[in-house]
């Protein structure tokens, strides 16, 4: 009917709600409709490779749910077992029918409802896996990482006493002493999936901390000076900062600014006075998965990555062989059809990365105290479980 609206679908498309939070399943009642949906999504099951990819995503989703959301592999998971019907499934299209009570033999009773909920949960994880797999930038990760880190490594040095600092040389007037400089190792695949499953956006392009950098300073004032140094030396370009990703739970900037102006007006703008002022002015946390005691300056920057395409030079060299006439006529004709205008000489794109700056006292508290990272991960995993498993959470707790 023309005026019969799918209210939850409207909420997802124009209301800002995530499909991961949907509780109504799919309005797909035949294998033909499932095929149409999958083709629109991007998977053509008549193509053997794409069919294998879709089925591989299905099995990975089953294993992911079992590992992170169910007991006994996760002691804090749900007391449920994957239904045999899912484990024996050989056609991913049947998942859509199960999610809509349309599968042969499925009834709208309690058992059918459980099966429907299971199908919805697995499809949510499969959707997330597909986005991770199809992120075109992933194949360039090592080169991207090197280009971003190199910009920072060039500014990190040790003096003759072995002390780490940020600066061009030992006597650099803008030098900032550091306790540590760390780069984040590549996220595991499961970590990426878990992060996406707890995020409303749920697409791989919205993971901003695959590449991460951390500065640990002696004081909070030094942490601010690191930001200033990165800006002054154009290691970080302000227009490339993603505003919605900036967080400051380390230092109340407004109150520090007021104190700064007071000291300046009184002629007492010395480093010691500023250090003492900064030491007492904590910021506030607003991340629901972070401890209220977590303290750090954090922002996401984007860097233009430039990668030479090795295929361009190879193809150019192959086309040059035509002039030597040492190839057969058929091969020469094939090579002459290659048009280099369709091959990029260089691949360019902006890539996000996260910078965290923290003083040593806060760093030790973050790592060992009440805000331990494992607690953050635990909270993240519980959020993802509730979003993916939905109504199954109540059944798994009984």
């Amino acid at each position: 009917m023309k005026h019969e609206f799918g209210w939850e679908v409207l909420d997802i498309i124009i209301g800002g709600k995530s499909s991961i939070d949907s509780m109504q399943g799919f309005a797909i009642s035949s294998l033909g409709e499932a095929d149409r949906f999958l083709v629109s999504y991007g998977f053509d099951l008549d193509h053997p490779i794409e069919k294998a990819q879709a089925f591989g995503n299905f099995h990975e989703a089953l294993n992911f749910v079992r590992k992170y959301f169910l007991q006994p592999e996760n002691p804090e998971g749900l007391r449920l077992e994957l239904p045999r019907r899912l484990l024996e499934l050989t056609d991913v299209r049947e998942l859509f029918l199960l999610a809509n009570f349309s599968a042969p033999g499925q009834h709208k009773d309690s058992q059918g409802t459980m099966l429907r909920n299971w199908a919805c949960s697995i499809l949510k994880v499969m959707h997330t896996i597909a986005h991770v797999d199809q992120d075109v930038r992933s194949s360039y990760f090592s080169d991207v990482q090197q280009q971003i880190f190199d910009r920072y490594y060039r500014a990190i040095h040790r003096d003759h006493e072995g002390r780490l600092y940020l600066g061009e040389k030992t006597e650099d007037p803008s030098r900032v002493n550091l306790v540590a400089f760390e780069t984040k190792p590549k996220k595991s695949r499961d970590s990426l999936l878990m992060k996406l499953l707890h995020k409303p956006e749920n697409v791989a392009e919205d993971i901003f901390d695959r590449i991460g950098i951390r500065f640990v300073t002696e004081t909070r004032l030094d942490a601010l000076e690191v930001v200033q140094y990165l800006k002054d030396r154009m290691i970080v370009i302000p227009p490339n900062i993603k505003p919605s990703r900036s967080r400051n739970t380390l230092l109340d900037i407004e109150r520090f600014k007021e104190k700064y102006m007071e000291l300046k007006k009184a002629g007492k703008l010395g480093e010691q006075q500023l250090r003492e002022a900064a030491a007492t002015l904590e910021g506030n946390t607003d991340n629901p998965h972070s401890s209220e005691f977590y303290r750090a300056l954090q922002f996401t920057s984007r860097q233009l990555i430039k990668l030479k395409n090795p295929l361009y030079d190879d193809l150019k060299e192959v086309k040059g062989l035509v002039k030597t006439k040492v190839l057969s006529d058929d091969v020469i004709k094939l090579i002459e059809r290659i048009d280099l205008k369709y091959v990029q000489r260089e691949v360019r794109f902006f890539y996000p990365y996260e910078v965290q700056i923290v003083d040593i006292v806060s760093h030790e508290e973050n790592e060992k105290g009440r805000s331990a990272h494992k607690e953050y991960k635990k909270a993240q995993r519980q959020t993802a479980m509730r979003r993916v498993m939905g109504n199954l959470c109540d059944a798994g707790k009984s």
Side-chain angles (χ1 to χ4, degrees), residues 179-180 216-220 358-366:
V179 175
V216 182
T217 64
E218 295 176 353
T219 69
R220 288 179 181 169
V358 61
D359 70 287
I360 184 60
V361 174
S362 299
H363 177 63
E364 291 176 350
E365 169 65 17
N366 294 345

Side-chain angles (χ1 to χ4, degrees), residues 4 19 21-22 25 37 47-48 50 66 90 148 184 192 199 239 248 266 274 281 303 310 330 359 395:
E4 289 186 2
S19 61
D21 296 312
S22 171
F37 176 88
H47 191 291
E50 293 186 24
R66 182 187 288 114
T90 58
I148 291 173
K184 177 185 289 187
L192 279 178
K199 288 166 58 71
N248 170 21
L274 289 175
L281 303 174
Q303 183 169 322
D330 289 341
D359 70 287

